Amino acid sequence: MAFRAAEYERFTGPRRKAPVWWPLFTATLRRGWSSKWVRRITFASMMMALSFTAMIYFAYQVIPNWRDLVQQFGGAFQPGNEEVVIDSHAYLGLLRMFVYPVLLPLSLVFGYDLVAADLRSNAFESYFSRSITPLTYLVGRTMAFVAFLMLVTFVPVMWIWTFDVAIGPDGHFAEVAAVPLGMGAALLTTAIMLALLMQAITSVTRSGIWTNLTFVAVFLFSAPLGGTLVGLTDNYDWMAVNPLHCIYVFSAVCMGTAERLPPGTASPSLVLGIMTGVILASTLVLWRTLARRGVVG
Amino acid sequence: MAPPVLELDDLVVRYGNFTALKGVRAQFQGGALGLLGPNGAGKSSMLRSILGLVTPASGTVRLFGQATDKDPAALRRRVGYMPERDTWVGGMSAVRGLAHLAEICGFFPDDAMLRAHDVLHFVGLGEERYREVHTFSTGMRQRFKLAAALVHDPDLLFLDEPTNGLDPRGRNRMLELIERVCHEHGIHLILASHLLPDVEKLCDQVWVLDQGELKKSERMETLTAAARGAKRVRVERAAVPTFLAAAEDAGFELGTGRSDTEFVLSRGETADVTSEEVFALASSSGVRLLAVQAAARSLEDAFLEALTGEAD
């Protein structure tokens, strides 16, 4: 573009019919991807999946009956279980592997400044005086956030699952058939909860640093708090104050293996209630912020 | 015949018990409209109604002949709004931010980016387009906001205090840009400003709002022509009743001045009042004149008259 005349011109080109939230969705993805930490975590997640599949492959090459050995001797590490079965329930461990080191840090670096930046730059005035409404804003931002979280967790897990099914013995597919749907539902709900929670916190703090501190504090202190409360009351439902525990129990419910959860876990119905509550409360906080601070004129 | 650009029909806007707009009825056929009024007059409520962001308690707002509560999102694509407060999309360069806003208004990504470049060149920010907006000076931010209002090529521009915080050179440049867009490209303008010379320079029609009511809706030439050829006369306080009676008897139209001993003598819009006529009136009534001067009424006079309810 060598030269552009500094004259105003009317636009005569075509206009598209894409939904209003679509530009927000793509802009949020672009913005997230521009962070080097987001790229690093994404890369680490993909590497984890590749390493895991490579490990399974080499295990087959070196010890062809490794699966039987794990099933026979793995029970020694699990009191009460005589035998470890590599089925849908075993994938809960894999889910933990992606939730703790991938999903949580990614939520932090992707969403820590999402709404806060718009509040600070008064972007709502620009958005709401155009075709964007508070609802489309919420949909656009949250869908991008959730899509990214799913891409970085669900896709690698499915890669591992596909590999496991492909090289597993006959009948193994039936044992892990519940994984795609169950894992998808668990990760999707978890991603929605984290995306909304993160945005709600950032809309209240209006600061990236305070959002990160609040988020870390919630996940860091809730585990010892839950343990302490269980110790004081002897009621394992107190474990549900820990969001990670809720995610774990909820995932087991999604995979249809809730009855095989070890003793000392909160009741699934309570966990379901808490996760629904977090999603609704976060949405409410966000909605109030958008309605209050998005005033035009 | 094209419908009016903006039509308010008995518009009432309420926030709880507070009535922000009290049955405003007005039409803007097109061109450039100045929206005047003190703080709290109802300008923002009117704007929010126009953008379809508040639902009127009663009455209707029609933009380009369409009720704004029917499809507000589609109508908003035809309106470019430049708010008084600084606003931009954080974490993006100026050009990327503008392209994003254009995409929201239905532009394809390539068109949006090209358009963002063009509009930034037009407002004089071509060299700064890859900077983030938070690094801009006040004048640059004002120009960026104008670019943001123009990027989706609206049919109606709503500018709220566009020259706020600008130095005289920047102000002239901004007014010139607005004038070019509106006069050369047929984009309608609604300008809300406390700076009456800006309104006088750009607008051909004025609405004066106060306490939620439309006090005056006139064409600019009517407002300023009303006192053409009139004389501003000041007399001694004791002679005021005598002078008023004599002036009325002689068929002059009387307007209020800036104090209770000052009056504006006129003969409507057709005939001028000469100094000789004023001296003759003073002589015949035995009143001593303290001052006689041409009463060139500015927009400020009209505005103040409208607010104090002493117009016409």
Side-chain angles (χ1 to χ4, degrees), chain A residues 4 6-11 15-16 23 27 30 121-123 125-132 295-297, chain B residues 48 73 76-77 81 83 85-88 100 103 106 108 115 118 122 148 152-155 180 185 187:
Chain A
R4 299 205 72 79
E7 269 308 319
Y8 186 83
E9 283 173 22
R10 299 302 305 256
F11 180 75
R15 302 210 185 195
R16 65 178 174 180
R30 260 200 309 266
S121 66
N122 191 30
E125 193 140 6
S126 285
Y127 284 140
F128 297 158
S129 63
R130 288 179 168 76
S131 315
I132 297 281
V295 172
V296 175
Chain B
R48 300 190 78 211
R76 268 181 245 153
R77 290 184 179 193
Y81 171 53
R85 290 183 293 176
D86 286 343
T87 168
W88 67 90
H100 174 54
E103 279 187 57
F108 285 96
R115 177 84 185 164
D118 283 351
F122 172 68
H152 56 290
D153 191 28
D155 296 318
R180 272 165 60 191
H185 297 279
I187 296 177

Side-chain angles (χ1 to χ4, degrees), chain A residues 115-177:
Chain A
V115 180
D118 285 341
L119 282 168
R120 285 198 303 273
S121 66
N122 191 30
F124 293 127
E125 193 140 6
S126 285
Y127 284 140
F128 297 158
S129 63
R130 288 179 168 76
S131 315
I132 297 281
T133 62
L135 180 65
T136 47
Y137 176 86
L138 203 57
V139 168
R141 286 270 191 249
T142 307
M143 278 179 64
F145 201 159
V146 169
F148 205 86
L149 293 182
M150 290 294 282
L151 176 79
V152 180
T153 52
F154 187 60
V155 171
V157 168
M158 280 302 95
W159 165 258
I160 295 170
W161 178 82
T162 309
F163 193 80
D164 180 35
V165 169
I167 66 169
D170 292 343
H172 183 54
F173 175 75
E175 292 174 323
V176 293

